Amino acid sequence: MRTLTPLTFVSLIAASPAWAAGGGLSLSNTDFVVFLAFVLFIAVLFYFKVPGLLGGMLDKRAAGIKSELDEAKSLREEAQTLLAGYERKQREVKDQADRIVAHAKEEARLAADQARADLEVSLKRRMAAAEEQIANAQAAAIKEVRDQSVVIAIAAARELIAKQMSAAEGNSLIDSAIADVEAKLH
């Protein structure tokens, strides 16, 4: 800030309208009185160091604004760091979720393949059991038909023999059968 030197003060007085009008330095000249009051006011401001106080206040305000700007800058950097960290974590979580989904799909595919294989084995086993049951039922039916045929044949032979054979022939057959059994047993 510029200070008022004596040379500047004199040039201000000489250039004043009161001086130029020829009124001189009289207290009845209002322009001169206003000028003196103004100079006195400026002198009082300089005496109480008001310009220095105003400069100090402005410097303090500037320092406060600078510290707030520095703090805002550091907060911005911290926020950017946090944002980058969260974005990185989000990418990691997304990648992990993608891996989990891919793993689950692979497990589901393997489980489906295993279920198909198990179903095939089960169907083959059931088919084999059904074929075995059919074969057993067929064998049982054939045996039953044979047994029934034997029973019918025996009954028919009995009737035929009973009609054609006499009592004496029957007794001789019984005796020969007993003799055959005795010979085979001893």
Side-chain angles (χ1 to χ4, degrees), residues 37-53:
F38 177 71
V39 169
L40 184 62
F41 175 72
I42 297 293
V44 167
L45 287 178
F46 278 108
Y47 179 76
F48 288 111
K49 300 179 183 173
V50 171
L53 291 174

